[in-house]
Amino acid sequence: AVNMSAPNMEERKACWDARDELWECLDRNSEDAAKCQHLRLSFESRCPQQWVKYFDKRRDYLKYKKKLENEGYFPPEATGKS
């Protein structure tokens, strides 16, 4: 669907549900996109393209943030100060 108008509430919910299912699948499968391809297609078909781009960026950001939290990365100027 190449409908450029803003999605209505039902469409938004369908998009978010598809996104959540995809993200859960990726979490369960250690980011193995191949195992979640069917959900990816569903996500892309239910969400406006710019949302897909936004959510992909958002997921990358959240993954990066989580990695930093898990690995405890500190910027260089924060080290060596007690």
Side-chain angles (χ1 to χ4, degrees):
V2 192
N3 185 2
M4 291 312 280
S5 66
N8 66 30
M9 217 172 120
E10 221 168 276
E11 289 167 332
R12 278 203 302 273
K13 185 170 181 337
C15 169
W16 288 332
D17 287 348
R19 174 203 62 187
D20 290 347
E21 280 178 30
L22 173 64
W23 286 13
E24 273 172 32
C25 177
L26 289 169
D27 287 342
R28 277 198 313 273
N29 293 289
S30 317
E31 302 301 315
D32 184 346
K35 290 199 173 110
C36 306
Q37 188 57 30
H38 60 297
L39 293 172
R40 174 86 208 172
L41 295 173
S42 162
F43 168 58
E44 288 180 1
S45 70
R46 288 185 197 168
C47 299
Q49 198 187 355
Q50 58 268 46
W51 288 28
V52 170
K53 284 194 187 117
Y54 168 78
F55 285 138
D56 283 347
K57 277 202 193 86
R58 175 119 188 100
R59 181 164 176 85
D60 285 342
Y61 167 74
L62 292 171
K63 278 193 315 213
Y64 175 70
K65 198 166 154 250
K66 195 177 199 172
K67 184 175 190 270
L68 292 187
E69 283 165 11
N70 290 344
E71 294 173 13
Y73 171 80
F74 298 101
E77 65 271 17
T79 56
K81 295 196 184 103
S82 53

